[in-house]
Amino acid sequence: PHFFARAMATHARARLAMPRAMYRARGHARMTIARASSTLKPSEVITREELELAANARGLTLETAFTGPVFKMIARRLDDDGDVRRMSAGGASSSSSSSSAAAVLKSNDADEDVNIVATHEGFVAPPPFGILHMDSMRVYNSRINASEKVTMRSTFGIAILLGTMSLLTAHEAGCKKCELLAIDDGNEYAAKLVRYYSRLGFEVVRVVGENGLRDMPDLLVWGGVGTRMDGDVDTLLKKWGGVIRKSLAK
């Protein structure tokens, strides 16, 4: 079920002090933190409205919830009328025009709700840390049927939508660095992941798992071996947001 970041392993959650005030609108939670200076012009920053339009064009809606600095974002299927589709306790599918992302995401039901087609998790550490930690990205390919693949275009597109949402959140919080681990499961796919993330705009920092005790901090944080990679939040946001805007213009 993993696509965009089978590369990002479970981490030991960091306990970071941060303001709890949030803004919520149709399933999104936004941290109200004073933003540091940005290298981007306001016109270069994609908006949540644009991200939602791009998701709707794929038959999806985006939802976000925070628990402290830790976030969980999901891409959920819409029905033919544009309403949110959810699975009831009995397994039946139902529609709702309102979104309660926090309640749904905290219930941890992504493994059971077939209308959730992708999830993205991590945490945002505002300045002085200034880090977006991308922990996991899962696209459930088995939940996307043949007819939907035309509308949703590609699982790559869904992952980029969720990744751009977390980058936008990090940008608003004043973060400069985005970090991930391209996991190495001991097969040829590991090298492909590193090339894939490099094309997306990430740079290799170091290989985790070949340096003995020096790798212990990374092993504790990421929970696995692989290649640590970093990216610049503003650069990635401009690049990925530009791709999404081009898709909206078609």
Side-chain angles (χ1 to χ4, degrees), residues 53-60 77-80 144-155 157-158 161 247:
L53 284 173
N56 293 167
R58 290 167 168 80
L60 301 167
R77 180 183 285 108
L78 295 172
D79 65 15
D80 294 337
I144 302 173
N145 60 48
S147 61
E148 289 177 324
K149 286 181 179 179
V150 177
T151 304
M152 295 184 185
R153 293 178 176 84
S154 69
T155 51
I158 298 173
L161 283 173
S247 74

Side-chain angles (χ1 to χ4, degrees), residues 40 130-132 166-168 170-171 175-178 231-238:
L40 297 180
I131 295 172
L132 167 61
S166 67
L167 285 167
L168 177 57
H171 167 81
C175 296
K176 295 300 181 183
K177 186 176 79 170
C178 174
D232 179 79
V233 168
D234 285 355
T235 300
L236 293 173
L237 181 60
K238 182 178 179 180

Side-chain angles (χ1 to χ4, degrees), residues 37-71:
S37 60
S38 171
T39 60
L40 297 180
K41 299 176 182 178
S43 61
E44 294 176 320
V45 180
I46 194 167
T47 66
R48 279 177 168 72
E49 289 74 18
E50 289 174 303
L51 288 171
E52 183 65 17
L53 284 173
N56 293 167
R58 290 167 168 80
L60 301 167
T61 187
L62 304 179
E63 301 178 4
T64 304
F66 275 91
T67 301
V70 179
F71 65 79

Side-chain angles (χ1 to χ4, degrees), residues 1-215:
H2 305 269
F3 182 79
F4 178 70
R6 172 75 174 82
M8 298 175 241
T10 303
H11 65 279
R13 300 295 188 195
R15 299 295 181 182
L16 301 172
M18 63 175 289
R20 300 288 246 173
M22 295 182 187
Y23 163 84
R24 295 186 181 278
R26 183 156 182 146
H28 300 306
R30 180 162 56 194
M31 299 183 299
T32 56
I33 300 172
R35 182 171 51 176
S37 60
S38 171
T39 60
L40 297 180
K41 299 176 182 178
S43 61
E44 294 176 320
V45 180
I46 194 167
T47 66
R48 279 177 168 72
E49 289 74 18
E50 289 174 303
L51 288 171
E52 183 65 17
L53 284 173
N56 293 167
R58 290 167 168 80
L60 301 167
T61 187
L62 304 179
E63 301 178 4
T64 304
F66 275 91
T67 301
V70 179
F71 65 79
K72 186 169 186 178
M73 301 176 177
I74 68 173
R76 184 188 295 279
R77 180 183 285 108
L78 295 172
D79 65 15
D80 294 337
D81 295 323
D83 290 336
V84 178
R85 295 185 66 179
R86 307 183 187 279
M87 291 298 295
S88 66
S93 181
S94 62
S95 298
S96 172
S97 58
S98 63
S99 177
S100 54
V104 174
L105 298 178
K106 287 179 181 178
S107 70
N108 211 16
D109 67 347
D111 291 337
E112 299 178 4
D113 192 337
V114 297
N115 291 309
I116 294 176
V117 300
T119 63
H120 175 32
E121 297 180 63
F123 66 77
V124 174
F129 304 99
I131 295 172
L132 167 61
H133 179 99
M134 286 188 169
D135 182 39
S136 69
M137 181 80 72
R138 298 178 177 88
V139 176
Y140 299 92
N141 295 310
S142 61
R143 298 177 183 177
I144 302 173
N145 60 48
S147 61
E148 289 177 324
K149 286 181 179 179
V150 177
T151 304
M152 295 184 185
R153 293 178 176 84
S154 69
T155 51
F156 173 85
I158 298 173
I160 287 293
L161 283 173
L162 289 173
T164 305
M165 180 69 79
S166 67
L167 285 167
L168 177 57
T169 301
H171 167 81
E172 292 171 339
C175 296
K176 295 300 181 183
K177 186 176 79 170
C178 174
E179 62 178 21
L180 58 79
L181 180 76
I183 201 77
D184 186 351
D185 285 331
N187 54 40
E188 70 283 356
Y189 193 56
K192 293 180 180 179
L193 276 175
V194 174
R195 291 195 297 270
Y196 171 72
Y197 291 122
S198 296
R199 289 196 299 271
L200 287 179
F202 288 89
E203 296 182 353
V204 173
V205 177
R206 60 183 169 273
V207 176
V208 176
E210 298 179 350
N211 304 298
L213 291 176
R214 285 183 295 173
D215 284 340

